[in-house]
Amino acid sequence: MGQAHWYERLFANSVTVPGPSVTAISSAARAARVHVAVGINEREPDGGTLFNTLLFIGPDGAVLGRHRKLMPTGVNASSGAPVTVPGCASTTPRSVASAA
């Protein structure tokens, strides 16, 4: 099986925000009255872009925010260009030592 096969599977199993999978997680957070931080493979609703996303959900079930990994990996990394997404958290790559 080639790389395209695995990308197709990843795409098929990714979720949209908002969407049915996020609604289910939000309902569980609300029922348990807990904060949830969950890693997802997020798909843009209108395109083929995938992101490794950390989704934050509050104890009331509301989506508090998300952090998308903005440096592409795999198939999207072929251009080597950074990805910018309006409205999403952005980070600049740096070493742990420089973050202190």
Side-chain angles (χ1 to χ4, degrees):
M1 287 185 218
Q3 185 177 0
H5 167 77
W6 295 111
Y7 185 79
E8 288 171 10
R9 287 189 64 186
L10 179 64
F11 186 84
N13 288 289
S14 62
V15 299
T16 56
V17 180
S21 296
V22 175
T23 299
I25 296 168
S26 293
S27 295
R30 186 174 39 256
R33 296 186 306 219
V34 297
H35 285 87
V36 174
V38 61
I40 60 171
N41 293 308
E42 180 187 4
R43 179 180 65 240
E44 284 287 307
D46 58 352
T49 301
L50 294 177
F51 295 93
N52 293 325
T53 300
L54 181 59
L55 190 63
F56 303 97
I57 299 172
D60 61 352
V63 174
L64 301 176
R66 62 182 156 189
H67 173 79
R68 287 177 170 171
K69 178 180 177 186
L70 298 183
M71 292 302 291
T73 56
V75 175
N76 291 338
S78 60
S79 71
V83 178
T84 57
V85 181
C88 292
S90 175
T91 58
T92 302
R94 57 185 174 167
S95 70
V96 174
S98 67

